[in-house]
């Protein structure tokens, strides 16, 4: 599927298995709480009849733009620009009980592939990682002000990073010298703190996951 907003692509994961669990009746009302680029939503719409309805929710403005495009093509679909904890409002508005809810949690391929979003430790970009860049603070802003202990706790809790203290110390040393503003700057300093580690896995993998979960309050939304 081609991403409408950018040149990036997203392949929906486990499509058949997801539809088996999510879909139950062709005239039902469904919610896709993590619309992304709508790979799962489009496949569900193919199974719905004219009475079926699908509401997509996403907090990412680029995902919402893709949802607006789909809504203009298919009147059974609507997109809501919000976090999925707005679900009760969506249900109230539609006035029907939900027949199936999908939450495909985490980061989308288009978010990872776009260096400008700051999610990737493989592509240089601003150290942001916000799914909704209009809300809250970026990872760069948080790392500039957080306590060393708080940084270590986030890396350990959300990334299972056993070398979290060493990384947090290195981050605090670096920010005393210069602001940490770029993804590759952070990835390189994590590597300098803990070495190469597991073969085939970048040493910044766990830390980037942890910072993403923290900065987006991903577990709070759940
Ligand atoms: C793994 S992708 C979903 C991909 C989607 N199933 C598809 O086929 O394109 C996760 C999406 O959920 C969104 N997201 C993450 N947390 C969210 C939240 N609390 N509320 C709404 N959207 C959220 C992200 O912005 C991202 O677009």
């Amino acid at each position: 599927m081609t991403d409408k907003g950018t040149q990036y692509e997203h392949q929906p994961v486990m499509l058949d298995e997801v539809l088996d669990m999510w879909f139950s009746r062709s005239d039902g009302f469904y919610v896709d709480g993590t619309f992304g680029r709508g790979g799962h939503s489009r496949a569900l719409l193919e199974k719905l009849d004219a009475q079926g309805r699908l509401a997509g929710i996403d907090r990412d403005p680029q995902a919402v733009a893709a949802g607006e495009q789909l809504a203009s093509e298919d009147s059974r679909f609507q997109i809501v620009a919000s976090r999925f904890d707005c679900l009760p409002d969506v249900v109230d508005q539609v006035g029907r009980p939900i027949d199936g809810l999908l939450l495909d949690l985490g980061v989308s391929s288009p978010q990872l592939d776009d260096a400008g979003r700051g999610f990737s430790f493989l592509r240089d970009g601003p150290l942001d990682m916000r799914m909704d860049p209009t809300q809250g603070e970026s990872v760069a802003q948080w790392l500039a002000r957080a306590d060393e202990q708080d940084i270590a706790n986030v890396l350990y809790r959300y990334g299972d990073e056993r070398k979290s203290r060493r990384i947090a110390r290195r981050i605090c040393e670096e920010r005393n010298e210069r602001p940490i503003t770029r993804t590759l700057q952070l990835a390189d300093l994590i590597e300098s703190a803990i070495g190469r580690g597991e073969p085939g896995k970048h040493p910044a993998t766990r830390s980037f996951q942890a910072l993403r979960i923290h900065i987006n309050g991903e577990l709070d939304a759940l």
Side-chain angles (χ1 to χ4, degrees):
M1 181 185 61
T2 303
D3 179 13
K4 300 273 182 194
T6 69
Q7 71 270 41
Y8 309 106
E9 305 231 329
H10 183 79
Q11 201 70 35
V13 292
M14 299 175 71
L15 189 53
D16 293 339
E17 294 85 347
V18 166
L19 287 175
D20 278 351
M21 303 282 292
W22 191 20
F23 172 78
S24 54
R25 43 188 283 188
S26 56
D27 62 349
F29 168 44
Y30 297 87
V31 176
D32 182 348
T34 50
F35 176 77
R37 291 303 182 272
H40 291 111
S41 280
R42 284 175 195 273
L44 184 89
L45 283 167
E46 282 178 19
K47 295 175 84 76
L48 298 187
D49 64 24
Q51 275 67 50
R53 293 286 178 275
L54 171 61
I57 303 172
D58 209 293
R59 65 199 296 193
D60 183 324
Q62 293 179 359
V64 171
E68 283 166 352
Q69 175 67 34
L70 179 56
S72 73
E73 294 163 9
D74 191 328
S75 60
R76 300 168 303 166
F77 175 77
Q78 69 177 97
I79 185 75
V80 181
S82 184
R83 289 168 34 141
F84 53 66
D85 35 316
C86 73
L87 192 54
D89 297 335
V90 175
V91 175
D92 280 355
Q93 202 187 326
V94 176
R96 284 172 69 169
I98 297 181
D99 292 287
L101 166 69
L102 175 65
L103 294 178
D104 178 16
L105 301 171
V107 67
S108 69
S109 318
Q111 287 167 336
L112 272 177
D113 291 345
D114 183 350
R117 302 297 303 271
F119 286 97
S120 174
F121 48 78
L122 298 175
R123 297 176 174 82
D124 194 34
L127 188 57
D128 193 317
M129 293 199 212
R130 284 172 296 175
M131 289 179 177
D132 179 356
T134 68
Q135 303 285 326
E137 63 184 347
S138 66
V139 168
Q141 288 168 327
W142 185 70
L143 287 181
R145 68 165 182 84
D147 288 344
E148 184 176 326
Q149 186 62 47
D150 289 344
I151 296 172
N153 287 346
V154 162
L155 300 184
Y156 185 74
R157 193 175 309 143
Y158 299 139
D160 290 330
E161 176 53 73
R162 282 178 296 149
K163 295 171 182 164
S164 57
R165 290 207 189 122
R166 224 188 291 173
I167 297 171
R169 196 175 323 126
R170 185 73 193 82
I171 286 172
C172 292
E173 286 166 5
E174 172 88 358
R175 76 183 180 189
N176 288 338
E177 301 291 321
R178 60 193 76 77
I180 303 170
T181 58
R182 308 290 298 178
T183 49
L184 291 192
Q185 181 189 7
L186 179 61
D188 288 348
L189 77 86
I190 292 171
E191 187 173 337
S192 75
I194 64 173
R196 288 225 131 255
E198 299 162 58
K201 188 167 182 176
H202 193 288
T205 306
R206 291 171 186 278
S207 298
F208 269 61
Q209 173 192 298
L211 290 166
R212 190 204 86 219
I213 290 173
H214 170 71
I215 217 67
N216 289 293
E218 289 181 38
L219 300 187
D220 303 341
L222 271 179

